[in-house]
Amino acid sequence: MQRTTIHIAGQDYTIVSEEPADHVREVGFLVDSKIREIREQSPHLDARQAAVLAAIQIASDHVKTKRNVGE
């Protein structure tokens, strides 16, 4: 297990994972980018709302990718 610090939506998070640090940083960048994109499109949303919408969009992309790989 290793610790990697990532920055998401103005906050630092230390992630403990068996994944390589570059993987954890890439995931953190993806999440942060998606939250920023949502907040730019809908500035009235608070951080939690933007984070939930980002999670939904990322999960939707994941499900679509899984389906396409299975075809």
Side-chain angles (χ1 to χ4, degrees), residues 10-22:
Q11 300 255 334
D12 286 334
Y13 297 90
T14 299
I15 307 299
V16 179
S17 175
E18 292 181 6
E19 297 293 339
D22 61 333

Side-chain angles (χ1 to χ4, degrees), residues 33-54 57:
S33 296
K34 186 57 72 174
I35 290 172
R36 274 190 277 117
E37 177 185 316
I38 289 169
R39 291 189 92 183
E40 286 172 8
Q41 294 171 357
S42 303
H44 64 281
L45 297 176
D46 65 30
R48 183 174 17 166
Q49 292 169 320
V52 169
L53 290 175
Q57 287 186 4

